[in-house]
Amino acid sequence: MIGLIVIILVSCSFLCLFRIARGPTASDRAVAMDILGIMVVGFCVVVSILTGKEFYLTTAIVWALLNFVGILALSKFLEGRGFDD
Amino acid sequence: MNEYIGFAFIIIGALFDLFGCIGLVRLPDLYNRLQAATKCVTLGTCGMLFGAFIIFGFTVSGMKAFLCAVFVLVTSPTSAHALARASYVSGVKLWQGSVVDKLKEDIEKH
Amino acid sequence: MRKGVLFFLLFLLWILLVWPFYHRAIDYQSIFVGAIVSFFVSLIFGELFTESPHKFLSVKRYFWAILYLPVFLWSCFLANLDVAYRVLHPSLPIRPGIVKIRTRLKSKSAITALANSITLTPGTLTVDVCEDGYLYVHWICVREIDVEKATMIIVRRFENLLERIFE
């Protein structure tokens, strides 16, 4: 059961990596980075169920929030404006 | 019993993740890719976290999974919105089969 | 007032994050530390939090918010099935375009919630938000170009509920 879920998630990550390697513009790569960041939350859930430890879910919360802040900064940079408005 | 329901949620979520990533590879244009990927991956990951919440029950782990599901559900569309706007401003074109572009018309009008 | 609302929200977040209710005993130390920390944080950052704190007190809004949740989740699920159908179809049945819609919601939190709901529901993605109540929406299968008709199709089902929650 767990093996099937891990196989699905790993193939998702490889599809995202394909888009990062292939993407014609920088924005495509940013989108794929965003999706890959949410994938990591899914891996955290799987590892947490496998081991029964709770700090992997803490890692998942922190990762989701940091991914959000990082994507916002990246999109401000792509938009070509400063970080202050 | 709870474990089976939780694993059903997790497998359905992982399948939606897979559909979203196939969309990320197959669709022709940034906005379509963003659309497919954001919808499917958000609901898929929320489904996985909700399955973990059902498996763990009302414990420390379960409540953390629930809180993380709420965070993902709130932050993911916001970052998609920011990326779509940033890539439109930075000049990413729509697919050539697009029907209408009201935003471009309004920018040219002003 | 504002500080009280922020204190309550932070304390709720802390309780959910720590979850100090074990089988029999309650961990009073965690609750006490959370109360102290959220008191000082709300004392410092209370002024930045919200524009109209009296909206948090009316019970009716919470009722409509609970009613809004299943509507939103159901259309979110339908959106996922829609995307799965379009992606797995061999010939990619898409017909994309950016349309313009008009909303009558005024407050910032209501427009944010509307934009997030539009992003997660079938076939649409908010691209830009204008100051005067116009939203630019990327639609994966354009059915209507006109502003009013597109508004009817995309926003009407959420707008009535969101108006009762946030306005």
Side-chain angles (χ1 to χ4, degrees):
Chain A
M1 191 70 101
I2 290 276
L4 182 66
I5 300 167
V6 170
I7 286 171
I8 292 174
L9 285 178
V10 168
S11 48
C12 287
S13 308
F14 271 104
L15 291 173
C16 289
L17 285 177
F18 174 76
R19 182 46 73 194
I20 289 178
R22 187 59 199 289
T25 61
S27 304
D28 287 290
R29 296 191 172 98
V31 172
M33 284 292 289
D34 186 12
I35 302 306
L36 201 56
I38 304 179
M39 250 359 126
V40 174
V41 177
F43 277 113
C44 285
V45 172
V46 170
V47 175
S48 155
I49 289 174
L50 205 59
T51 61
K53 298 261 175 25
E54 49 124 349
F55 60 84
Y56 291 108
L57 286 167
T58 316
T59 315
I61 293 178
V62 174
W63 188 276
L65 292 179
L66 278 182
N67 188 37
F68 173 60
V69 175
I71 290 298
L72 279 190
L74 196 56
S75 64
K76 280 288 177 195
F77 174 69
L78 283 173
E79 205 169 344
R81 289 198 305 200
F83 286 102
D84 50 350
D85 63 354
Chain B
M1 188 60 204
N2 273 352
E3 291 215 341
Y4 291 110
I5 301 174
F7 272 113
F9 266 100
I10 290 177
I11 286 210
I12 291 172
L15 280 178
F16 275 134
D17 275 7
L18 187 62
F19 293 150
C21 287
I22 291 172
L24 190 69
V25 171
R26 274 199 75 193
L27 288 170
D29 158 12
L30 184 134
Y31 304 98
N32 294 319
R33 275 174 211 149
L34 193 56
Q35 200 165 128
T38 306
K39 283 190 186 76
C40 280
V41 171
T42 304
L43 195 73
T45 309
C46 282
M48 290 179 75
L49 286 161
F50 192 70
F53 171 63
I54 289 178
I55 288 177
F56 288 125
F58 285 94
T59 58
V60 182
S61 315
M63 292 320 283
K64 274 180 183 166
F66 180 72
L67 207 60
C68 190
V70 174
F71 281 155
V72 170
L73 198 64
V74 172
T75 58
S76 173
T78 314
S79 63
H81 175 198
L83 270 175
R85 185 193 154 102
S87 42
Y88 198 93
V89 170
S90 73
V92 178
K93 295 280 187 296
L94 266 77
W95 184 46
Q96 68 266 20
S98 300
V99 183
V100 59
D101 189 355
K102 282 279 171 76
L103 186 52
K104 194 179 170 190
E105 292 170 12
D106 282 3
I107 287 175
E108 280 170 358
K109 207 183 291 175
H110 289 134
Chain C
M1 183 69 201
R2 243 174 228 182
K3 288 172 184 169
V5 171
L6 183 58
F7 171 77
F8 186 72
L9 285 180
L10 285 175
F11 191 58
L12 189 67
L13 186 67
W14 173 269
I15 292 291
L16 284 181
L17 197 58
V18 175
W19 200 250
F21 308 111
Y22 299 113
H23 297 292
R24 296 281 169 76
I26 296 175
D27 189 1
Y28 289 106
Q29 282 184 4
S30 311
I31 297 177
F32 192 59
V33 170
I36 292 174
V37 172
S38 40
F39 175 73
F40 280 108
V41 170
S42 59
L43 204 66
I44 297 170
F45 294 106
E47 295 302 318
L48 300 175
F49 176 54
T50 176
E51 286 175 357
S52 48
H54 61 275
K55 285 180 183 171
F56 281 93
L57 289 183
S58 66
V59 184
K60 216 186 278 178
R61 296 178 193 275
Y62 294 105
F63 172 72
W64 288 113
I66 290 171
L67 201 64
Y68 177 69
L69 201 61
V71 176
F72 170 69
L73 285 178
W74 177 245
S75 57
C76 194
F77 184 67
L78 285 185
N80 278 274
L81 293 183
D82 181 61
V83 167
Y85 164 71
R86 286 182 202 283
V87 162
L88 296 179
H89 200 280
S91 66
L92 283 180
I94 59 173
R95 199 166 160 265
I98 292 182
V99 298
K100 184 180 182 182
I101 60 171
R102 187 169 53 89
T103 173
R104 60 170 188 268
L105 300 175
K106 290 289 185 297
S107 68
K108 283 178 185 169
S109 50
I111 290 180
T112 310
L114 180 68
N116 280 358
S117 307
I118 286 174
T119 301
L120 285 179
T121 49
T124 48
L125 170 81
T126 314
V127 176
D128 204 350
V129 178
C130 257
E131 299 296 324
D132 47 355
Y134 285 101
L135 272 76
Y136 295 94
V137 171
H138 181 268
W139 203 350
I140 203 168
C141 179
V142 176
R143 279 186 283 165
E144 198 58 65
I145 294 178
D146 185 52
V147 176
E148 295 298 326
K149 287 175 184 168
T151 308
M152 283 301 289
I153 296 174
I154 294 177
V155 256
R156 275 295 170 258
R157 49 193 163 166
F158 303 122
E159 212 176 38
N160 296 326
L161 280 170
L162 282 176
E163 195 171 26
R164 289 194 177 99
I165 297 172
F166 286 106
E167 295 283 329

